[in-house]
Amino acid sequence: MDLKPPTSNTTSTSSSKRYPALSPPNDNWTIEQLLFWSLDQYHSAAISKTNSHLDALRLQCENECDDVLMLHELAVQMRGEERGEELKDGAAGIAEENVDPQQQQEQQQSVVETEEGQNVHQLKQPPPAATAATTTSSNKPKSSTNKNTTTTTVLVITILSGPHASQTYKLQPKHTQPCLIGRSKGKKFLRNGISLSKDQEVSTTHGKFSVEEVVLDHTEDDDDGNTDNTNSRGGGGGVQKKFYYTDVGSTNGSSVGFEERLEANVKVEIEEGMELTVGHSTLKIAFG
């Protein structure tokens, strides 16, 4: 079979091809020439289509890469802001954790002693009205001069057992500001409370010490004729301070002495020498 392309209607023939290079198929072509020509046309179309697809994919990839880079920049910016906030919180937490408990305790005692000194100074210097009343009533019995007075009393709490054994705290709860006890190292616990940070059985906020003032209805006279207010803290007077402890719903609860667990959110009146157990720590409470 002659595979050479026909010479008619053809100006040149390529030795690398098996069909006329510049002419479309005609009746003079053999079947083999027609097949080669068809394969070559398909190959050219496939290459052209492939290049078109590659260009489209390249453009799409560039667009998506730009989107990814933009999202990455946003993520880095957001993470930087979160990291800045974490560093601020961490610095505040480290500042609280680095406070020396012994130094903090001495500061608490110094503050309490300062407040006590101020209160005693105020008691020693009564207002002019009170001075005049005292002068005009100098002939009255001494038992009636202090009926409406009260003295500042603090709670002296000593840790008998537990991770913080042998430490002593002086607390001065107020009507609107009770003293807190717990595992927290917050300012309220370190300044005018008890922080049992090493006792893992103590809740973050375990309980609170509060105070209430009660006006006495009557007084009793002893054999010498002196007025005796038996329920008042810190001496005779017409106002009685009562101190209470309340478990605020801790996980492991609180107990007084060896008695059963105290009911949560129910205040218990504090008595001289009372022993309170919270977690692994036993506290002895006295009036200062």
Side-chain angles (χ1 to χ4, degrees):
M1 177 180 294
D2 186 9
L3 297 178
K4 293 181 180 182
T7 58
S8 59
N9 301 328
T10 304
T11 58
S12 64
T13 303
S14 175
S15 60
S16 62
K17 295 188 177 182
R18 301 181 182 182
Y19 57 88
L22 301 178
S23 62
N26 55 52
D27 295 340
N28 295 326
W29 284 28
T30 64
I31 295 176
E32 187 176 1
Q33 290 174 337
L34 184 60
L35 289 175
F36 279 120
W37 181 85
S38 299
L39 289 174
D40 188 64
Q41 294 295 319
Y42 176 79
H43 183 262
S44 299
I47 291 176
S48 177
K49 197 69 173 177
T50 300
N51 292 333
S52 176
H53 287 320
L54 288 176
D55 293 338
L57 290 174
R58 186 178 296 108
L59 179 61
Q60 182 179 359
C61 181
E62 292 176 355
N63 294 334
E64 291 180 353
C65 287
D66 292 339
D67 293 340
V68 171
L69 289 176
M70 182 179 64
L71 292 176
H72 176 70
E73 292 176 357
L74 290 175
V76 171
Q77 182 180 0
M78 294 175 63
R79 179 55 182 167
E81 294 175 354
E82 293 177 357
R83 183 61 177 170
E85 294 178 357
E86 291 176 359
L87 289 176
K88 290 181 181 179
D89 296 340
I94 291 174
E96 290 187 356
E97 292 179 359
N98 289 337
V99 176
D100 186 0
Q102 186 65 27
Q103 181 180 1
Q104 187 63 40
Q105 179 182 348
E106 293 176 357
Q107 293 178 355
Q108 293 176 1
Q109 293 177 355
S110 176
V111 171
V112 172
E113 291 174 357
T114 301
E115 293 180 353
E116 287 180 347
Q118 293 176 352
N119 291 329
V120 171
H121 181 69
Q122 292 174 358
L123 289 175
K124 289 182 178 180
Q125 298 181 356
T131 304
T134 304
T135 303
T136 55
S137 59
S138 58
N139 296 327
K140 294 183 179 180
K142 293 183 179 180
S143 59
S144 62
T145 57
N146 293 327
K147 275 190 175 183
N148 296 324
T149 62
T150 182
T151 58
T152 302
T153 306
V154 298
L155 294 177
V156 181
I157 300 179
T158 303
I159 310 297
L160 301 180
S161 63
H164 300 268
S166 301
Q167 293 190 12
T168 302
Y169 300 86
K170 288 185 178 181
L171 306 183
Q172 190 174 16
K174 301 178 181 179
H175 300 288
T176 58
Q177 185 178 359
C179 297
L180 303 178
I181 180 173
R183 202 175 68 251
S184 173
K185 292 183 179 180
K187 295 180 181 179
K188 293 182 179 179
F189 294 82
L190 295 175
R191 291 182 178 179
N192 192 26
I194 300 178
S195 175
L196 302 176
S197 58
K198 298 180 181 179
D199 195 335
Q200 299 301 318
E201 296 299 317
V202 175
S203 298
T204 303
T205 302
H206 201 99
K208 64 180 180 180
F209 296 93
S210 58
V211 62
E212 294 181 2
E213 289 187 354
V214 179
V215 179
L216 299 178
D217 295 333
H218 63 278
T219 57
E220 297 179 358
D221 294 337
D222 55 19
D223 296 337
D224 297 331
N226 297 323
T227 302
D228 181 19
N229 295 316
T230 57
N231 294 327
S232 61
R233 308 296 185 196
V239 178
Q240 175 185 2
K241 278 189 175 182
K242 288 188 177 182
F243 293 87
Y244 298 91
Y245 171 77
T246 305
D247 187 294
V248 296
S250 62
T251 302
N252 296 318
S254 309
S255 59
V256 176
F258 296 98
E259 297 180 2
E260 61 183 12
R261 179 170 173 171
L262 297 178
E263 186 176 352
N265 298 314
V266 176
K267 61 183 181 181
V268 177
E269 185 175 357
I270 297 175
E271 299 178 354
E272 177 75 27
M274 187 176 77
E275 293 187 2
L276 178 67
T277 301
V278 293
H280 290 311
S281 303
T282 300
L283 294 66
K284 184 173 183 179
I285 306 174
F287 299 110

